[in-house]
Amino acid sequence: KNEVEQSPQNLTAQEGEFITINCSYSVGISALHWLQQHPGGGIVSLFMLSSGKKKHGRLIATINIQEKHSSLHITASHPRDSAVYICAAPYSGGGADGLTFGKGTHLIIQP
Amino acid sequence: EAQVTQNPRYLITVTGKKLTVTCSQNMNHEYMSWYRQDPGLGLRQIYYSMNVEVTDKGDVPEGYKVSRKEKRNFPLILESPSPNQTSLYFCASSMMVAQPQHFGDGTRLSIL
């Protein structure tokens, strides 16, 4: 079973700072998910990536398949970015099974 | 509007009283899944379904049942709920597991 580890667990930063959240997994995968959970509890999918880098607005996700590591970056952070960020990977690495999740990174951006 | 709809959003009930949490999606997605979220443990998968009539256990299936008789619906059944099933539950769907998932708004269950 894939083991997914995230760091840091908690992160408090000032508005405008560059943020990095890390995710490592133990079994080679077909795709890795990054999710955002708002303070109200709702979950949205930010990225699903299998190689290289993806960018959406101020959010950038990268993945290194060989090193089994992914990062989520936020540029010019803003208080509205405050949320829990969660990465998830397939159980056994393939595309035909369930997901296992990191415990999440609780991000607070102070004005 | 593309959405995943869970009902109820909140439920307080008692030990042993069977309950069903419904999940419906309108995106013709093949993959559907149930998760529970607990403080300190994060999200854990309960059951998932790759397609109609195909379901598989996730990390924590004990005490739960599911069915997938139609593509759009994936109900979660607690035959005899117990207090350790008090949790926040999410249903999600996607075209396949290696695609971005769409989540419902969550169901907060309290079992007394």
Side-chain angles (χ1 to χ4, degrees):
Chain A
K1 178 193 162 184
N2 221 334
E3 301 293 334
V4 178
E5 299 285 338
Q6 274 186 249
S7 63
Q9 285 189 343
N10 297 283
L11 179 57
T12 300
Q14 296 297 311
E15 183 173 356
E17 286 189 40
F18 182 82
I19 303 298
T20 296
I21 298 169
N22 296 300
C23 176
S24 61
Y25 49 91
S26 58
V27 177
I29 59 171
S30 57
L32 183 123
H33 301 254
W34 280 103
L35 311 172
Q36 180 192 54
Q37 186 168 26
H38 300 293
I43 298 175
V44 296
S45 179
L46 295 175
F47 295 103
M48 194 277 302
L49 67 165
S50 54
S51 65
K53 179 167 81 172
K54 285 191 175 180
K55 184 173 189 280
H56 181 69
R58 294 179 294 103
L59 273 60
I60 303 165
T62 64
I63 190 166
N64 185 318
I65 297 294
Q66 286 74 30
E67 295 189 2
K68 298 187 180 64
H69 181 269
S70 177
S71 293
L72 178 68
H73 306 285
I74 305 174
T75 63
S77 59
H78 189 276
R80 65 175 173 266
D81 297 325
S82 298
V84 177
Y85 293 85
I86 303 165
C87 66
Y91 282 141
S92 58
D97 55 21
L99 291 177
T100 188
F101 296 82
K103 287 189 169 53
T105 295
H106 188 193
L107 175 65
I108 297 173
I109 304 296
Q110 295 178 334
Chain B
E1 181 190 349
Q3 57 185 5
V4 177
T5 304
Q6 291 179 229
N7 279 297
R9 293 290 313 281
Y10 304 91
L11 179 62
I12 301 173
T13 187
V14 295
T15 299
K17 186 177 181 183
K18 180 180 178 179
L19 67 91
T20 299
V21 185
T22 63
C23 175
S24 180
Q25 51 95 2
N26 62 0
M27 295 166 279
N28 203 36
H29 284 164
E30 295 193 347
Y31 182 89
M32 296 187 73
S33 183
W34 276 104
Y35 306 99
R36 61 178 289 175
Q37 186 176 38
D38 302 287
L41 297 176
L43 281 162
R44 292 178 293 169
Q45 193 161 34
I46 303 171
Y47 270 96
Y48 62 98
S49 170
M50 304 296 289
N51 212 328
V52 176
E53 301 293 0
V54 179
T55 62
D56 281 292
K57 296 178 180 178
D59 265 340
V60 288
E62 296 77 19
Y64 304 95
K65 284 175 58 176
V66 293
S67 68
R68 187 89 183 274
K69 293 186 173 63
E70 334 163 70
K71 201 174 209 178
R72 64 182 293 125
N73 295 322
F74 191 45
L76 180 70
I77 303 157
L78 285 71
E79 294 267 5
S80 183
S82 63
N84 64 11
Q85 293 177 298
T86 292
S87 188
L88 178 60
Y89 291 85
F90 289 97
C91 179
S93 74
S94 59
M95 190 51 69
M96 51 193 291
V97 69
Q99 292 293 325
Q101 300 207 354
H102 297 253
F103 284 79
D105 289 334
T107 295
R108 190 167 291 279
L109 278 183
S110 294
I111 316 291
L112 305 177

